[in-house]
Amino acid sequence: RSEQGPQSVRYSVTYVLPDGSERRIEAEEGYTLLMAADASGLTISTGRRAGGTCPDGGCALCRVKVLDGTGLNTMSDGEQRSMQALADGKPHEGRPREPGPPIEEGHRLGCWTKIRGNGGRVQILELFDPDSIKGEEG
């Protein structure tokens, strides 16, 4: 007799890439848009020097535009504060930063936006190239 663990629930989300092409991704319930994209080989732009996600969701650079919010959680106060802190140019992780883009209608943070059901459709505003931060080999 074999025992199976709990089955994970997966939902589909469509990502519209900066070049206009689309990619439909199946992701586990509760994954963030950032996690789901990264697990599928799409790296949404982030503010981390090492290319990973920021530990507190405060860099606010994994911005996406929600085209259809079906199946996505609603914006939290913390997400709103992170986006406003970037727009205001408040320091993050002890480092100063220039004021960022203003908060626009439909913009969310990939690290805060969770997948709760099918149907989400989001536009990735900028992809991050992990190779751009690699040092020289040897």
Side-chain angles (χ1 to χ4, degrees):
R1 156 181 120 107
S2 70
E3 285 191 33
Q4 291 183 324
Q7 292 285 5
S8 64
V9 177
R10 297 177 73 79
Y11 295 114
S12 66
V13 176
T14 301
Y15 290 84
V16 179
L17 306 182
D19 67 5
S21 64
E22 295 186 7
R23 216 150 129 207
R24 190 172 178 188
I25 293 174
E26 298 286 325
E28 287 188 35
E29 180 180 30
Y31 266 36
T32 65
L33 292 174
L34 188 65
M35 291 166 60
D38 193 51
S40 299
L42 296 174
T43 306
I44 298 174
S45 180
T46 71
R48 297 295 290 173
R49 292 183 302 268
T53 59
C54 65
D56 61 2
C59 76
L61 295 174
C62 58
R63 191 177 295 211
V64 297
K65 182 172 185 176
V66 175
L67 304 173
D68 182 346
T70 303
L72 303 177
N73 69 330
T74 58
M75 184 182 289
S76 69
D77 290 341
E79 181 180 4
Q80 178 72 33
R81 281 192 303 271
S82 290
M83 290 176 59
Q84 191 61 56
L86 173 63
D88 294 342
K90 291 183 179 170
H92 179 249
E93 293 184 335
R95 292 187 306 274
R97 59 182 171 177
E98 296 293 319
I103 300 172
E104 294 182 30
E105 181 74 29
H107 281 200
R108 297 284 309 272
L109 298 179
C111 68
W112 285 81
T113 309
K114 291 187 178 183
I115 299 165
R116 300 283 188 220
N118 285 314
R121 183 176 165 86
V122 296
Q123 181 178 7
I124 296 175
L125 303 174
E126 185 180 352
L127 286 171
F128 178 75
D129 176 13
D131 290 335
S132 71
I133 60 169
K134 288 185 179 176
E136 293 189 24
E137 292 187 29

